[in-house]
């Protein structure tokens, strides 16, 4: 069975990526792997992903939600999970940038685009 992998953060760009990934998984008849990668700082607990879980449960798509707390960049985690899952597609969200910021794509997004073994779909919030 095919797999769609999505990078998720609880922000507008993460929500847009999750919505599109659910849509793509339905269209392809694929399972969905949701990757939330973050670095823990001090006494911070795990981010609350209850809204994302509720959306995924309601979608009817089979999914695996992975929270990765490591020292790697989010892009490295995402590409690694996509490779190990033999993903057919990676979905990422992009945030709005200023005209000058548009000259330089976000570093995580750029790394995913350059390092991914499969197609990458980038969506805006």
């Amino acid at each position: 069975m095919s797999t769609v992998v999505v990078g998720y953060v609880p922000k507008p760009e993460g929500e847009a990526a999750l919505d599109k990934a659910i849509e793509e998984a339905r269209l392809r008849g694929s399972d969905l792997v949701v990757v939330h990668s973050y670095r823990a700082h001090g006494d911070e607990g795990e981010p609350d992903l209850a809204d994302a879980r509720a959306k995924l449960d309601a979608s009817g798509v089979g999914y695996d939600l992975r929270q990765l707390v490591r020292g790697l960049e989010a892009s490295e985690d995402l590409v690694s999970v996509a490779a190990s899952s033999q993903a057919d597609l990676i979905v990422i969200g992009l945030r709005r940038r200023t005209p000058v910021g548009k000259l330089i794509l976000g570093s995580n997004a750029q790394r995913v685009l350059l390092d991914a073994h499969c197609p990458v779909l980038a969506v805006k919030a």
Side-chain angles (χ1 to χ4, degrees):
M1 177 173 266
S2 65
T3 303
V4 173
V5 174
V6 60
Y8 176 77
V9 290
K11 296 180 180 179
E13 58 270 19
E15 295 299 331
L18 183 59
D19 290 343
K20 191 60 161 178
I22 290 169
E23 181 183 325
E24 286 293 326
R26 275 193 195 120
L27 288 171
R28 297 164 183 261
S30 299
D31 286 332
L32 184 60
V33 177
V34 182
V35 178
H36 178 257
S37 175
Y38 68 99
R39 292 183 182 179
H41 298 286
D43 294 334
E44 287 181 20
E46 289 185 0
D48 183 15
L49 302 180
D51 291 342
R53 281 188 201 281
K55 184 181 286 190
L56 288 160
D57 288 340
S59 74
V61 171
Y63 72 90
D64 178 14
L65 178 58
R66 300 182 190 181
Q67 286 186 275
L68 305 176
V69 184
R70 302 195 288 194
L72 299 177
E73 293 293 327
S75 57
E76 293 174 299
D77 282 337
L78 191 57
V79 169
S80 174
V81 169
S84 66
S85 301
Q86 298 179 340
D88 299 305
L89 178 70
I90 298 173
V91 181
I92 59 173
L94 300 177
R95 62 180 170 217
R96 291 208 175 273
R97 298 198 170 267
T98 64
V100 172
K102 289 179 184 176
L103 294 174
I104 305 170
L105 190 62
S107 61
N108 276 317
Q110 187 174 17
R111 290 277 26 123
V112 171
L113 289 169
L114 293 174
D115 294 345
H117 72 283
C118 63
V120 177
L121 175 59
V123 297
K124 291 195 284 187

